[in-house]
Amino acid sequence: MANTINSGIAALRTLESWHVDHIYGIPGGTVNNLMYALDAEKDRIKYIHVRHEEVGALAAVADTKLTGHIGVAFGSAGPGATHLYQGAYDAMADKVPALFIVGQNPQALMNQDFFQEFDENPWFKDAGVYARTVMTAESLPHILDEAIRRAFAQHGPAFVTIPNDLADKEIPADGYYSSAKNFARPELGAGSDEQINQALDLIKQAKKPILYVGQGTYGAADEVMQFAKKFQIPVITTALGKEIIPYDFEALLGSAARVASKPANEALQETDLMLFVGSNYPFAEVMFKPDVKFIQIDNNPQVLGKRHKTDVAILADAKKSLQRFIQLGEDSQPSAWYAANVDNVANWHQYNDDMMNRTDGDLRFEPAFKEINRISEDDAIYSIDVGDVTQNAVRLLKVNGKQPWITSGLFATMGVGLPGSIAAKLSYPNRQVFNLAGDGAAAMVMQDLSTQVAYHLPVINVVFSNDALGFIEDEQEDDNHEWFGISLPQTDFAKVAEGQGMTGITVDKVDQMKPAFDKAVELTKAGKPVLIDIKITNERPIPVEKLTLDADKYDQKTIDDFKKRYYAEKLVPLSDYLKKHNVQ
């Protein structure tokens, strides 16, 4: 008799060949045979029992973002499957490969409106780059292998629905194989010298150029900074690209729009040329001036010319192209435009430092970021939730270029911080991990604090509690509408944490901040997760998309009122620095 292998075990062996060492999910009748295979393979692949499938799905997406290996989550038929959908759309929007395994009733009971049954493939095709139902036990490993290749090749989530009976059959042991060792990503070279010289001519003609970089410049931080200094061009990053360039680089303007920094928004209003590298920035249509000269470098032909009328479009690798720019271009003379922006960055940093050092008045969020920066290790990982905490982290975390920073980007899924921290600690057990969340987002997924406890994941969880959906509250203010539907009931998140076996610490005074974070370091070094619930005032963070500082645009009373509300007495508009440096 030929050698055989259980089809469920063969499926898991296929995942293992793609470097999958853990998988998230919740048991159910339609995935029981997969569960039995996980039990048999528990020495090779770890089952992470989350409390909600959405948390598992978001954690799987975070796995891919952090490691480059495919993240995997599963759910049983019906509600278990639909709960995966939030993570699926998150992966779709951020163009992240992920694999979602969906349970289904045994084949004999399919298409009979059986318990928890629905036609899953059409539903998942909208989000997924691949969605198939396994038809034979023998094809199960192959379909999973195909799904992973498609996910990587097409940059999105893939779905495989498995009828439960097909995960518990004997199949030929030599009848399946993995293509993991054969998989390769296409690599582009630099742009042509002709294209680069065209772009260099435009740079020479520009008076106020900007280098705008996104996630396509991962691994190219040195080239970006060298380019900026050589050609005297300040740098804007997308919010998702925050981790790429060290915070203290003199000409780093931060990110633009609302989840953003003051220098970036001001420079965008002045620039006459943009070099747009490795980004598909969705707010370009409303943030970029339509009449600026535009140079774009990207390795995806689908986005060339998508966000702005483009003068030079270069289909190429960002890092190699920047290197070629540096080789071909001549050093620029010291630029007054560059110097004005460097001064503006320094002033913005001073404002944020002053806010982080505040000790009077009601407790705000900034002193907490001072402590996070103080205790952060050189390779710390930050999982950031969605809301005010996103824009505050963008502005205040002093990343060094070696600290991963993940969130839900284009889809902006609230509740993403906790799942991301679980993924980070599972993949990097020896690195410090933070989960930073507002109280609205924390309430959505707080049941999975117990997952951190159950699997001994020493994460520093920080909840900023202001009893409101602050990000939406500010939008309603801008719409001149009275606040409605944005209040949150007071929640003692420290007690919530303690109820799940985790140490909870409440902070409501600034002098409690340092001891709380010192205790968090002590606990996590001892292998225990911790939650710090910081009770902050519901004051609005400074709206850098609606700055009211420039005396050439606003009357003095309007400026004074803005400065008083946002403690911005020392904050200077870019226009003042342009005048100081005689920039026309």
Side-chain angles (χ1 to χ4, degrees):
M1 182 177 178
N3 289 334
T4 62
I5 186 173
N6 177 272
S7 57
I9 292 176
L12 295 180
R13 296 271 175 91
T14 300
L15 299 185
E16 293 160 16
S17 73
W18 286 93
H19 306 287
V20 175
D21 60 11
H22 60 269
I23 180 173
Y24 308 93
I26 295 179
T30 54
V31 291
N32 273 341
N33 284 327
L34 180 66
M35 294 298 301
Y36 304 148
L38 281 167
D39 184 31
E41 286 291 288
K42 60 179 175 288
D43 292 336
R44 297 182 179 87
I45 186 168
K46 189 173 186 177
Y47 164 56
I48 305 299
H49 183 187
V50 291
R51 301 299 172 264
H52 196 298
E53 289 95 346
E54 178 179 332
V55 168
L58 290 168
V61 178
D63 275 331
T64 310
K65 289 180 178 180
L66 288 165
T67 69
H69 300 311
I70 195 80
V72 186
F74 68 84
S76 58
T82 58
H83 286 164
L84 295 173
Y85 214 49
Q86 190 65 47
Y89 261 100
D90 204 68
M92 181 202 73
D94 282 352
K95 303 294 187 292
V96 176
L99 174 64
F100 298 107
I101 297 174
V102 182
Q104 182 55 279
N105 288 296
Q107 284 184 309
L109 297 174
M110 289 174 61
N111 302 317
Q112 299 184 46
D113 298 327
F114 194 68
F115 180 66
Q116 293 187 327
E117 183 190 5
F118 75 108
D119 190 1
E120 295 166 337
N121 285 353
W123 206 60
F124 287 119
K125 280 182 178 178
D126 183 55
V129 298
Y130 182 83
R132 296 288 190 277
T133 296
V134 176
M135 303 303 291
T136 67
E138 289 79 7
S139 69
L140 171 55
H142 174 75
I143 297 301
L144 289 173
D145 188 63
E146 179 75 12
I148 295 171
R149 280 190 289 107
R150 295 280 191 100
F152 277 123
Q154 299 179 44
H155 305 283
F159 296 85
V160 174
T161 298
I162 306 175
N164 189 40
D165 57 317
L166 297 186
D168 186 33
K169 292 187 180 295
E170 293 299 307
I171 64 174
D174 60 356
Y176 77 99
Y177 61 89
S178 165
S179 64
K181 291 183 179 180
N182 308 121
F183 182 76
R185 296 176 178 85
E187 292 188 12
L188 295 176
S192 71
D193 287 359
E194 180 183 2
Q195 290 174 315
I196 290 174
N197 282 321
Q198 283 181 315
L200 286 169
D201 286 342
L202 290 178
I203 291 172
K204 287 178 183 178
Q205 298 167 26
K207 295 181 178 179
K208 300 176 182 178
I210 287 292
L211 175 59
Y212 200 110
V213 302
Q215 291 176 293
T217 59
Y218 276 134
D222 290 343
E223 285 78 8
V224 169
M225 292 185 287
Q226 188 178 349
F227 182 101
K229 289 182 176 180
K230 180 181 181 72
F231 298 110
Q232 292 287 280
I233 302 179
V235 181
I236 297 175
T237 70
T238 59
L240 294 179
K242 174 181 170 63
E243 69 182 84
I244 299 170
I245 310 300
Y247 175 90
D248 60 4
F249 177 57
E250 63 177 9
L252 177 62
L253 306 181
S255 56
R258 185 177 172 197
V259 180
S261 298
K262 168 185 174 288
N265 281 347
E266 290 178 305
L268 276 181
Q269 295 174 25
E270 296 286 337
T271 186
D272 58 1
L273 179 138
M274 296 183 65
L275 185 65
F276 192 55
V277 184
S279 176
N280 188 25
Y281 180 59
F283 297 103
E285 284 81 359
V286 295
M287 290 301 299
F288 293 176
K289 294 165 61 178
D291 59 342
V292 298
K293 294 293 184 180
F294 204 80
I295 302 163
Q296 186 175 6
I297 304 171
D298 208 283
N299 65 2
N300 182 359
Q302 293 184 58
V303 303
L304 287 176
K306 178 177 181 177
R307 298 299 184 183
H308 195 279
K309 180 182 177 182
T310 303
D311 298 277
V312 181
I314 304 174
L315 180 64
D317 178 77
K319 182 184 179 81
K320 294 172 184 175
S321 294
L322 290 173
Q323 289 171 342
R324 193 60 180 153
F325 268 93
I326 292 166
Q327 292 167 357
L328 292 177
E330 298 176 0
D331 289 2
S332 297
Q333 293 297 314
S335 160
W337 162 251
Y338 184 88
N341 278 280
V342 169
D343 284 353
N344 200 29
V345 169
N347 177 250
W348 172 243
H349 285 183
Q350 186 59 58
Y351 168 77
N352 286 322
D353 285 344
D354 288 346
M355 295 302 291
M356 286 190 280
N357 287 319
R358 278 175 56 87
T359 58
D360 58 334
D362 294 331
L363 182 61
R364 288 172 56 93
F365 58 87
E366 290 96 346
F369 279 92
K370 175 185 177 180
E371 296 305 317
I372 294 168
N373 287 324
R374 177 180 66 85
I375 68 169
S376 288
E377 295 177 358
D378 195 51
D379 61 351
I381 301 172
Y382 303 107
S383 182
I384 313 296
D385 223 301
V386 168
D388 273 353
V389 68
T390 324
Q391 67 179 357
N392 296 335
V394 160
R395 297 171 185 177
L396 300 175
L397 282 180
K398 297 186 177 184
V399 296
N400 60 15
K402 297 181 287 184
Q403 296 162 315
W405 187 99
I406 59 170
T407 189
S408 174
L410 196 60
F411 214 56
T413 299
M414 288 178 65
V416 76
L418 177 60
S421 71
I422 291 170
K425 204 62 187 177
L426 286 168
S427 292
Y428 300 102
N430 297 320
R431 294 173 69 171
Q432 185 185 48
V433 174
F434 291 88
N435 160 36
L436 308 183
D439 45 357
M444 288 184 166
V445 293
M446 58 188 176
Q447 75 284 335
D448 269 276
L449 291 170
S450 64
T451 303
Q452 292 182 357
V453 174
Y455 293 98
H456 309 290
L457 305 176
V459 172
I460 298 175
N461 301 279
V462 181
V463 179
F464 296 88
S465 296
N466 62 348
D467 302 331
L469 297 173
F471 199 81
I472 307 305
E473 179 178 281
D474 299 341
E475 288 181 348
Q476 293 185 358
E477 177 185 345
D478 291 341
D479 290 338
N480 295 313
H481 196 290
E482 63 180 86
W483 292 332
F484 180 76
I486 48 81
S487 61
L488 296 171
Q490 289 190 356
T491 301
D492 190 334
F493 286 96
K495 284 188 177 179
V496 170
E498 290 169 359
Q500 297 181 71
M502 180 185 299
T503 298
I505 303 171
T506 300
V507 172
D508 53 23
K509 295 182 177 61
V510 71
D511 60 2
Q512 299 170 346
M513 199 75 75
K514 185 177 184 299
F517 279 89
D518 286 343
K519 183 65 174 177
V521 171
E522 176 188 331
L523 287 165
T524 52
K525 285 188 178 297
K528 301 175 182 178
V530 60
L531 183 144
I532 305 174
D533 183 9
I534 304 175
K535 304 299 186 182
I536 60 172
T537 179
N538 192 28
E539 293 179 88
R540 181 176 184 172
I542 186 170
V544 297
E545 75 283 7
K546 294 182 178 294
L547 291 168
T548 309
L549 295 170
D550 192 341
D552 293 335
K553 298 178 181 178
Y554 304 98
D555 62 74
Q556 194 57 49
K557 183 181 184 306
T558 302
I559 294 172
D560 290 344
D561 289 346
F562 183 88
K563 286 187 172 184
K564 182 178 179 181
R565 178 176 180 182
Y566 299 110
Y567 311 93
E569 290 80 7
K570 298 178 183 178
L571 203 55
V572 178
L574 173 61
S575 58
D576 284 11
Y577 293 117
L578 295 178
K579 293 172 185 175
K580 171 186 172 183
H581 291 278
N582 298 313
V583 178
Q584 301 301 315

